[in-house]
Each structure stands twice: as C-alpha cells, then as structure tokens.
Amino acid sequence: MAPLAPKTGDAVFASIDHVNAELFTLTYGAMVRQLLTDLEEVEEVNKQLDQMYVGYNIGVRLIDEFLAKSNVSRCVDFKETADVIAKVGFKMFLGVTASVTNWDAEGTSFSLVLEDNPLVDFVELPDTFQGLHYCNILSGVIRGALEMVCNVSMKTEVTWVRDMLHGDDAYELRVKLLKQIPEEYPYKDDE
Amino acid sequence: MQFFSGSSVVDVSLSPTAPPGTATGHAGNNANVLYIFNRNGVCLLYREWHRLLRTLDASQDQKLMFGLLFSLRSFTAKMDPVSADKGNLGVPLLPGQGCSFYSFRTNTYKLSFMESPSGIKLILITHPKTGDHRESLKHIYNLYVEYVVKNPLYVTGTPIKYASAHVCNVYFLYLLSELFTTNLDQYVKTLI
C-alpha cells in the first residue's frame, strides 16, 4: 500500500538540508541582474526566465527531487495537483505555503496566491524595468514540473496576475491547463 | 536544496538515510543487475555486478526489459480483483494508474521494480532469497536525484555517461558520474 501523501510539506521541509535564505535571494537577484545586462530587453529576460532556459529546465529536474523526498503518490485530478503544489511543493523548496483560489467553472485553471516570497526580499524594481516579471522563474518551474509528472502529462500556461513589486498586495500566479497528453507507447510497432 | 562548494572531491551527505542493510550474505555485491529507464524507454543506466549469462546484445536486452515491464504492469492492473480503475488493455498505463507490481521471483533470481510518478523505472535483479526491496529502490531513486538530476551538465533523458564538453566541464561531469556509481556500488553492497 502506498504511504499517505503528506498534507503539508512541514515534515519534508524539516528533514531536508537548507541553504541560507539570504544567499538564495541574493544569488537569484544577481542572476536576474546579469540577465538584464546581457539581454537588455525586458521581454527577453521574462522569456528566458520562464520558457527558454532557466525555469523550465529547473522544473523538469525538480520534479524528480520532489517525488523522491516527499512521498506523494499520483494525484487523481487537477485539483489535487494544485493542492499538492501549493502545500507541499512550495513549502519544501521555498519554505512558504501558497493558497489555491479562484477555480474557474470547468476546473481547468486556478490561482496560486503567495503572501510572502523569499525571492523578492530586498528587491525594488526601478521605473525602466517595470515590465519585468521578476519571479518568472516560478512559472517556468511549475510548467516544467507538471509536464513531466504523470497524471497525464499536462501542458499548462502559467501567468502572473498580481505582483508585489508592481504595487499589488500579494503574488498571484494563474495556472491554466491547456491540454493533457495521453501516454504513448514509446516504441513503434515495427522496431 | 543543496549547494556544492569547492571543486575537488566533494563529500556530500545525502538527506535520506539508507534503510538498514545488515550486510550479511556473500562477500561483495549482493545484487546482480540494475536498470534505470525513463518514461520514454531510454535506458538511463545499466549496471551489472554478477551476470553469468548474456543472451542478447545490450540494446535488445534493454528493449526487452522495458517491454516486459510495460506489459507486466498492464497485465497486473487488469487482473486486479480489488480495484476498479483498470484502464484498457491496448492503451499504455500511466505510472500510478492501476495497482503497481513490486517483484517477481524465479528459482534463480528475483526482480524488484519501482516506478516514480514521473515515469522513472528502477529494476533491480538479485538472488532469489532476498526480502522486499521497495525501500532499497526508493533509496536508489534518491541517489539518482542527488547525483544525476542535480548535476547541471547532465542532459535529462540521456544515458548516464560522460558527455563531451570543455576540459574542466568534462572533469566535473566525470566526477559526478563517478560519485553516483561509487555511491550506488557502496549502497548495493549493504543489501541483503
């Protein structure tokens, strides 16, 4: 029998090694700053953080670590997936819990609300970079992780709705399920 | 999260503690063969410690193993007298759907199996008198995460080998693959 999935990530969070929070925040800040210097275009930086390189690749690897350390079994539906991401996943990797709100009518998209976000401690966005989604790495990570995990493999779209650096009161990510890719037999029949 | 510091041989302490292996049994490794497959059937790792008979060449052998497990999972899920979620016979099963089979035993060996929800399959072949290896497989999965997944030079979905890169990067990748296989060998020695 599979062990019961942990309802909160507290136990897992307590058992894994921690890194200094400030080191983490400052490293992330330095990386975003370097990306801005290299690419100069705010849109490009947003894309890099989310899609092209950073976030998505981290997500694809993070999912294995997440599954190994926490004993979650397969999520039965998208709602359960959302809860697991918010309670266990965020807690385990960032040390904060997110809350899941705003389910839409068909149950295919939801919002993750973060009250405090360790990535943005000490950060202020200057006026020239107002279009920057500083935490876009989170959207890439969620997208990458969900594509690898199997309830069915999910293609999702993750966008920022509210962002504290732009003056809102919390961070809100909207996760929308685009399509579910059914499992395929990897070898062709004639090989 | 763990950050590696320094560039020489790093002593990394693993977060999961290994389940107690009582290290009795024959001197040397107690396991015979280990396979690790990913979701698409690519054999990420094939490691053998004691294999006396080789009937097929390596790639055929791996395809056969992967196909066997695919079919066995479908079959065991379909024959399940208890649960309702069976799936259809022709359609490939998702990891976690249906009941999961753990092992089978013959008079000469025992094959233990574990599948993660992300599709990573671990197969361990040992001598037939061995006990249940689910915890061991879980620990090996943790080793895989620590040493392979977290290696920034490892391309996910490719076999765990050395990659060609610049001089200092090659050294780095070599070291971590070495670390993975060394730790794996050490752990396998302690299996009953």
Side-chain angles (χ1 to χ4, degrees):
Chain A
M1 270 206 301
L4 285 175
K7 283 301 163 205
T8 65
D10 291 328
V12 190
F13 183 61
S15 69
I16 58 182
D17 289 342
H18 300 167
V19 75
N20 185 321
E22 274 144 27
L23 176 63
F24 177 58
T25 313
L26 292 172
T27 309
Y28 183 67
M31 188 182 76
V32 175
R33 202 176 176 314
Q34 188 61 42
L35 275 174
L36 278 169
T37 322
D38 286 342
L39 298 172
E40 284 171 31
E41 273 276 315
V42 166
E43 260 319 299
E44 267 300 305
V45 175
N46 281 341
K47 229 168 45 149
Q48 274 275 348
L49 281 177
D50 171 17
Q51 300 171 357
M52 281 164 44
Y53 199 60
V54 186
Y56 184 74
N57 272 310
I58 293 183
V60 163
R61 293 159 192 262
L62 198 92
I63 185 66
D64 269 321
E65 186 183 353
F66 175 67
L67 292 169
K69 300 253 164 72
S70 67
N71 270 328
V72 293
S73 53
R74 181 182 86 99
C75 291
V76 176
D77 59 10
F78 198 49
K79 286 200 161 64
E80 196 180 331
T81 314
D83 279 325
V84 168
I85 297 176
K87 306 248 158 12
V88 187
F90 269 88
K91 180 76 189 170
M92 186 170 149
F93 290 109
L94 289 180
V96 293
T97 19
S99 47
V100 179
T101 54
N102 285 353
W103 276 102
D104 73 343
E106 300 113 38
T108 55
S109 82
F110 64 95
S111 286
L112 277 170
V113 180
L114 280 166
E115 293 300 318
D116 84 291
N117 185 346
L119 288 174
V120 301
D121 291 339
F122 322 130
V123 174
E124 253 179 44
L125 270 189
D127 294 324
T128 43
F129 295 126
Q130 278 300 319
L132 180 68
H133 290 304
Y134 187 77
C135 310
N136 230 7
I137 200 174
L138 289 178
S139 28
V141 168
I142 294 180
R143 225 169 35 91
L146 284 178
E147 257 185 56
M148 296 299 280
V149 86
C150 309
N151 176 358
V152 281
S153 155
M154 312 177 211
K155 277 221 181 307
T156 49
E157 186 188 305
V158 186
T159 46
W160 285 97
V161 172
R162 284 188 284 165
D163 192 337
M164 247 162 163
L165 292 174
H166 293 155
D168 298 317
D169 53 350
Y171 291 95
E172 187 176 333
L173 265 174
R174 187 115 197 115
V175 181
K176 188 166 125 100
L177 180 65
L178 292 175
K179 71 180 173 171
Q180 296 186 328
I181 307 170
E183 189 83 357
E184 278 173 3
Y185 188 57
Y187 297 128
K188 294 193 271 289
D189 282 327
D190 49 16
E191 276 180 353
Chain B
M1 288 213 270
Q2 277 185 325
F3 277 57
F4 295 116
S5 61
S7 57
S8 50
V9 177
V10 176
D11 187 29
V12 177
S13 62
L14 289 183
S15 328
T17 51
T22 55
T24 54
H26 354 284
N29 287 315
N30 282 319
N32 295 358
V33 182
L34 173 77
Y35 295 81
I36 301 183
F37 288 100
N38 81 348
R39 214 169 149 185
N40 300 324
V42 175
C43 182
L44 301 177
L45 183 76
Y46 166 69
R47 196 124 172 92
E48 62 178 49
W49 293 282
H50 278 317
R51 188 172 183 172
L52 300 172
L53 184 64
R54 236 164 257 139
T55 49
L56 301 163
D57 79 283
S59 67
Q60 294 279 18
D61 185 58
Q62 284 153 19
K63 276 200 193 153
L64 181 68
M65 182 59 77
F66 185 76
L68 165 77
L69 290 162
F70 217 84
S71 319
L72 256 181
R73 278 192 61 237
S74 279
F75 174 71
T76 49
K78 204 72 184 139
M79 296 291 291
D80 188 353
V82 174
S83 75
D85 170 28
K86 291 195 185 177
N88 301 314
L89 250 185
V91 175
L93 274 188
L94 305 164
Q97 190 184 18
C99 65
S100 52
F101 102 90
Y102 295 136
S103 62
F104 69 74
R105 191 196 329 237
T106 70
N107 56 338
T108 48
Y109 68 92
K110 177 173 183 176
L111 182 145
S112 310
F113 172 70
M114 185 193 106
E115 180 164 26
S116 82
S118 60
I120 304 288
K121 307 184 209 320
L122 292 114
I123 295 116
L124 186 67
I125 299 182
T126 53
H127 65 89
K129 295 200 183 43
T130 196
D132 185 28
H133 272 306
R134 268 177 281 164
E135 284 301 314
S136 324
L137 284 171
K138 214 166 174 312
H139 189 251
I140 296 178
Y141 182 50
N142 276 327
L143 278 179
Y144 163 75
V145 162
E146 290 294 326
Y147 290 115
V148 178
V149 168
K150 286 187 176 176
N151 182 345
L153 292 172
Y154 169 67
V155 179
T156 49
T158 58
I160 301 169
K161 274 206 281 256
Y162 316 136
S164 60
H166 329 135
V167 172
C168 54
N169 289 350
V170 166
Y171 179 66
F172 185 59
L173 180 66
Y174 173 82
L175 206 60
L176 258 60
S177 293
E178 277 280 300
L179 272 179
F180 176 56
T181 45
T182 317
N183 274 280
L184 184 64
D185 288 344
Q186 271 178 350
Y187 175 63
V188 163
K189 277 197 176 68
T190 69
L191 290 179
I192 310 170

